[in-house]
Amino acid sequence: MAGVTDDPPGFPYTPPGVDVLEGGKLTSNNVAGSSHDPFQSFAVASGAVSKPGSDAARQDGLYSSQFEGNTSRLSLLRTLCSDKILHLIYIVSLNYDAMLYVLNYLVPLYSQDEIDSTPMVSSLLNKLANYTNITQGVIEHEKAESEDGIQRVPKGPQMGTFIGVFLPCMQNILGVILFLRLTWIVGTAGIMDALAIVFMCCSCTMLTAISMSAIATNGVVPAGGSYYMISRALGPEFGGAVGLCSYLGTTFAGSMYILGTMEIFLTYIMPNAAVFKAGTGEPNGMQNNMRIYGTCCLAIMVLVVFVGVKYVNKLALVFLSCVMLSIMAIYAGVIQSAIKPPDSQVCLLGNRMLQNSMFDKCQKTEVINNVTTPTKLWTLFCEGDLGNATCNEYFTQNNLTVIQAVPGLLSGVISDNMWAHYGKYKTIVEKEGKSSEPASDKTSEMPYVFNDITTFFTLLVGIYFPSVTGIMAGSNRSGDLRDPQRSIPTGTIMAIATTSFIYISCVVLFGACIDGVVLRDKYGESVNGSLVVATLAWPSSWVIVIGSFFSCCGAGLQSLTGAPRILQAISRDGIMPFLQVFGHSKSNGEPTWALLLTAAICEIGILIGSLDNVAPILSMFFLMCYLFVNLACAVQTLLRTPNWRPRFKFYHWSLSFLGMSLSLSLMFVSSWYYALVVILISGCIYKYIEYRGAEKEWGDGIRGLSLNAAQYALIKLEEAPPHTKNWRPQLLVLLKLDSDLGVKHPRLLSFTSQLKAGKGLTIVCSVLEGTYMAREADAKLSEKNIKAAMAKEKTKGFCHVVVSSNQRDGFSHLIQSAGLGGMKHNAVLMAWPANWKQSESNLSWKNFIETVRETTAAHQALLVAKNIDSFPTNQERLGVGTIDVWWIVHDGGLLMLLPFLLRQHKVWRRCKMRIFTVAQMDDNSIQMKKDLQMFLYHLRLDAKVEVVEMNAGDISAFTNEKTLVMEQRSQMLKQMQLSKTEREREAQLIHDKNTKSHATLNDKAKPTSDRVHMTWTKEKLISERNRLREANMTVDQTNVRRMHTAVKLNKVVVNKSQGAQLVLLNMPGPPKNQGGDESYMEFLEVLTEGLKRVLLVRGSGREVITIYS
C-alpha cells in the first residue's frame, strides 16, 4: 500500500451505522432522514466518485477523471459482495490504496459472464436462507412499508430453477404418505403391485407435468395456479369447476397432513397423551383422539396463518430440511443394514405377530432364582396360577419365535415380499410360510396385530396417490422466477423424476430390507410402537419421527396458506356470484373470509378421523384437476390457435389425451363412487357458472372449439336444405326503434322467445336512416339497447343494426343477406304498422307492403303480429283459453305448426288448439271434417276441428292463392280408387309436391294447384275457370270483392274466436298493381277488426309439417 501519500477528497469515509471515536466518546455516523447506498459510499471512498456535495463533485459532475476506469469494477464488486461485506471493507481498510487493491486484484478474478452462470457460494446460501414455498399471491401483503410510510420498491424476480421450482415441488410431493404408509403399501401389495401403483401415479403426474409445462410457458401464470391455467385455456365454466376442485383438494390435503401430524404425535412421540384408549371399550378411541387433537392443531395453524404467513415463510427451510434429512436417513439405514442390520426384534406366536408393547420378553416363562415364573406375556393368554392355569388353546399349542424386523439388504427377504398379501378387516397379520397349529380362540381379545381395514389394490391406489401431488408448486410461482419459460418445465419434470426415483427405490429397498410381516404392521405395534420406516433409519429412528412430524406440520401450514388464495382468485374473477364475499381481504392482503371457510372444510376432513379415509377424497379432486390440465393442452394443440406458442416444445396432443385417460381411470380405480360424486360436483359448478356466472372473454379453447364446430356445421348445412322433419322457423325479427333508440315493441321479443324456446336461429335486426359514417355511434347504441332488451325478454339469438339511406332498402338488404351459409332465416316476424291511417306519411304502410312482397319473392314465410303490445310477457301464465287457427288456404302447414310450438312454452301451455276451415255450400262438410281430423291424427296434433260453411263469393278474395281444400283432396283420392293406406301416403305426396314458390304462382302459366289436383270433377273445373276469369277484373272490382270477403269472413271469425287468446289467419298476398296497396291495408284491417291478438301468417310455399316419422 506504499506509494500513496494523499487520501482522496472526503476520505476516510465512515460508512453509515459505524460508530467512530471522537473525543473519547463513541458517536454514531447515522444521519437522520438520509439514505445511504453502500455502493455510493464505496465509490466515494475509492475515489471513483466524488463525495456528494463536495467541490470535486460539483466540478466534474460526480466523476473524477483519475478514477473513471474503476466504475465498471465497482459495479461488479457490488454484485459480488453484500452490503455488510462492503461495510466490513470500509472498516478494515480505511485506506484509499486498499480500495484500489480490491478493485484491481480481487474483482478481475471473476468475469461478469462467470458470475451470471455460476453464482457465488454466498449468493446460493443467501437464497437458501430466504427460501420460501409460498406463492407470489401469498407474499403480496408482505410488501412492508418504511417508518415514514413510503412503500418500499419490491425486488424483481430473482429465483432460478432450483430454488424457485425444484425445491418447492420436492417439498410438496414428498411427505406424509412416504413416512406413514409406504411401508404398509409395500408389505400389503407386494413389491410388484406397489411398483405398479407407483408407476401409474407417477406416469399420470409426469404426463400432466408435460401438459402443464406447455400451458405455463405459453404466457405468465399469475396467482391461482391450476385455476388460472384451466380458466384461460378452457373458459370460466371449466376453470371454475376445476378451480374449486383444486381448492377442495388442497383443503382436504391440509386435513390429511394434520391427521398425519397427530398420528405421529399420538402413536410414536407421546402415546400417553391419548384421551381415549383404543381397545378398552372404545373401538374408535384412536379416531376420537385424532379428532380432538386435530381440531386443536387446526386452530393453532389457522391462528399462525391469520397472524401472518411471513412466519410460515421463515419456517419453510426448516420443513424442507426435515424432509431431506429424513430421506437421507432412510438411504443411510439401507446401507447400514447391508453391513450390520439393526437389532430390532419381533415376537411371533406360531405365525401370528404380537404387539410387543404389552410385554417385555418374548417368553412364556422365565427362571428367576431357580424358580420358574410366568412372564407378562403368559398372563395375557392365561388365567390363574402357573400350576392350574387356564390358557388360550392357540397359546398352548404354538411356540414363540423371535425374528429380526430388519433382516438387512442382503438377507434375501425380497423374495418373500414380492407378491401381495391382502387381508380382510380384523384379521390377524400372519407371517407367510411359517407353520402353526390351528386352534379356536377369541382372537379379538388377544394382543395380536390386526388389519384395521380390508385391503385391496384399488384402495391402495387411492391412499398412495396424494404422495405424488404437488407438481404445480412451480407453475404457481411463475411471477417470482427469473426465467419461467425455462425453469417451470425443467424444475417440475426434474422434481417428478427425482421423487419417482425416490419412491421406486424405496419400494424396492423396503421390500429388500424389512420383513414382510413387519411391513404389514401399519402402526408399528410389533416394534414397540415405533414407526416402521424408522426402524430402518440411521443413525437414529428419531430422525425419521421428528423429521416426518415437522414435515407434516409444514405441509399442513402450506395447504392452509395456499387454499384460501385459490378461492380468493376465483372470487375476484367474479365468475361465481355466491363466492364474492371470499374475495375480500384484510388491509395486508390476507383473505380472512376464505381462510375461515378453508378451516371449516378442513375440520370436516379432520372429523373423519382417519388418514386412510381422507386420502382418496383429495385424490379425486387432484385427479379431476389433472384431467382438465391435460384436456386444456390437448384442445389448444388440436385447435392450433395463433396464440398457442409455448416455449416448451416437448409435448403432443396424444400425450395429453393419454394423461387425461389415465387420470380418469385412476379416479374410478381408486373409488368409483367418490369419482361420480366429484364429477357431479364439477358438473353442477359448470352449469351454475354457465347460467348465473359473469360473462368472461378470455380467448379460451372452448370458444375456439365452438368456432371450429360451427364452421364445420355451416359447411355441412350448405350441402342441402333441411328436410321437412327438421324444419323449424328460423326467424328474422324486424324491430322498430323509438326516438331514443330504444326498442319500440319489446313484446315482439317476448313472442319470439315463446315461439322459439331457445331453439333454432333468431336474428333481431333494425334499420337506421342515414349514413354509417354519421350514425356509427347511434348504430352501436341501438345494438346495445336491443341486446339489453333481448336479455330482459330471454330471447336467445343474434343482433344486428344496419344504417341505410331509407328503411325500405335496409329491410330489403336484411331479408336478402342476413344469416351465414346454410344458417339463414326462413321466416320474417314483424309488427303490424299500428295507426297507419292517422300517420301523416304513408311510408310506414308502404314499407310494410314492400316487405311482404320481398319476403314472398325470397320464398320466406311471413308472420305479422297485430296488437303486439297486448301479447303476454314471459312472466304471464295464460289461463284456460284457445289458440284458434283459421285454415282457409293451405300454404305448407305453417298455420298448424305454429300453435304446436307456442304450446311448448309455459305461457301458452294451458291453451287448447282449435282449427277452423272454410267450406263452400256445395262441399261435403261432414266428410271434410272427418278427413281433417284424420289428417291431424296422423300429424300427431291435438286439436278440435270445426268446419264453417260460407258462400263462394264470400271468400273469393282468397282464391288467388293456391288451395288444397280437404274435400277436394278426398274426392280426388276416391276417384283414384286407392286403399286407405295408399290414400294416406298419396295425401302426403300431394303435400310434398305442393311446395312451389309464390313467384311461380304469380307467373302467367297455369297455377300449381292445377298440376297438383290430377283429377277434378266437372263442377270444380267450371269453378276454377270462373276464378281465372275473375282474376282479370279491374282493380276497382277486385277491391270491392276484397272488402266484401273481409267483412263476411271477419264476422264469422269474430263470432267464433272473439274470446280466443290468439287467432292465426292466412294472410292474402298483396296486389300486383301498386295502386291497390292502400285498399289491401284496409282489407287486412277489416279482416282482423274486433280481435284481441292476431297473427297473420303467409307461408313460404314449401311443406313444413309431415305425417311421416
Side-chain angles (χ1 to χ4, degrees), residues 200-278:
M200 285 193 302
C201 296
C202 292
S203 299
C204 178
T205 55
M206 180 62 79
L207 292 171
T208 304
I210 293 173
S211 299
M212 182 199 66
S213 298
I215 298 173
T217 57
N218 194 49
V220 178
V221 180
S226 60
Y227 159 70
Y228 185 90
M229 287 190 292
I230 301 299
S231 61
R232 270 56 179 181
L234 293 180
E237 294 87 0
F238 283 106
V242 177
L244 278 185
C245 285
S246 177
Y247 164 72
L248 292 173
T250 307
T251 304
F252 277 103
S255 302
M256 183 187 72
Y257 291 129
I258 292 174
L259 289 173
T261 303
M262 292 301 99
E263 183 175 316
I264 296 171
F265 178 75
L266 293 173
T267 307
Y268 308 116
I269 297 179
M270 292 188 65
N272 295 327
V275 178
F276 300 93
K277 301 298 181 182

Side-chain angles (χ1 to χ4, degrees), residues 450-672:
F450 296 93
N451 290 317
D452 62 335
I453 56 174
T454 300
T455 55
F456 43 89
F457 180 81
T458 58
L459 173 72
L460 300 184
V461 173
I463 293 175
Y464 173 77
F465 188 81
S467 66
V468 297
T469 59
I471 62 174
M472 295 187 180
S475 63
N476 293 352
R477 314 157 59 87
S478 62
D480 298 331
L481 302 175
R482 183 186 303 112
D483 185 6
Q485 312 292 338
R486 180 179 61 87
S487 296
I488 290 176
T490 305
T492 304
I493 293 175
M494 287 301 297
I496 294 175
T498 304
T499 53
S500 298
F501 171 77
I502 291 174
Y503 282 126
I504 292 174
S505 62
C506 284
V507 167
V508 176
L509 294 176
F510 289 163
C513 296
I514 305 175
D515 195 283
V517 71
V518 180
L519 289 173
R520 293 190 293 278
D521 182 7
K522 182 187 293 186
Y523 300 108
E525 295 171 316
S526 62
V527 285
N528 295 315
S530 176
L531 190 61
V532 173
V533 69
T535 61
L536 184 62
W538 184 88
S540 171
S541 62
W542 285 103
V543 175
I544 295 281
V545 174
I546 301 300
S548 59
F549 177 79
F550 283 108
S551 171
C552 293
C553 284
L557 282 171
Q558 291 157 16
S559 298
L560 291 176
T561 305
R565 279 151 186 86
I566 298 176
L567 183 62
Q568 187 182 40
I570 299 172
S571 304
R572 287 182 173 176
D573 268 344
I575 60 175
M576 283 182 278
F578 75 93
L579 291 179
Q580 292 289 342
V581 64
F582 300 108
H584 303 304
S585 58
K586 295 192 302 183
S587 58
N588 62 354
E590 188 68 25
T592 307
W593 291 106
L595 177 60
L596 293 177
L597 179 64
T598 302
I601 298 175
C602 192
E603 176 64 16
I604 295 174
I606 291 174
L607 292 178
I608 295 175
S610 172
L611 186 149
D612 299 327
N613 293 333
V614 174
I617 297 177
L618 66 99
S619 296
M620 293 300 112
F621 289 116
F622 279 118
L623 281 168
M624 178 65 75
C625 181
Y626 296 164
L627 185 150
F628 280 103
V629 169
N630 286 290
L631 176 62
C633 181
V635 169
Q636 296 280 28
T637 305
L638 292 175
L639 288 178
R640 298 179 181 178
T641 53
N643 189 55
W644 180 245
R645 303 184 302 274
R647 296 228 176 238
F648 180 75
K649 302 299 182 183
F650 304 100
Y651 69 94
H652 194 266
W653 64 266
S654 59
L655 293 178
S656 299
F657 270 114
L658 181 61
M660 183 176 65
S661 304
L662 188 56
S663 299
L664 186 63
S665 301
L666 285 175
M667 288 178 65
F668 284 92
V669 165
S670 301
S671 177
W672 64 267

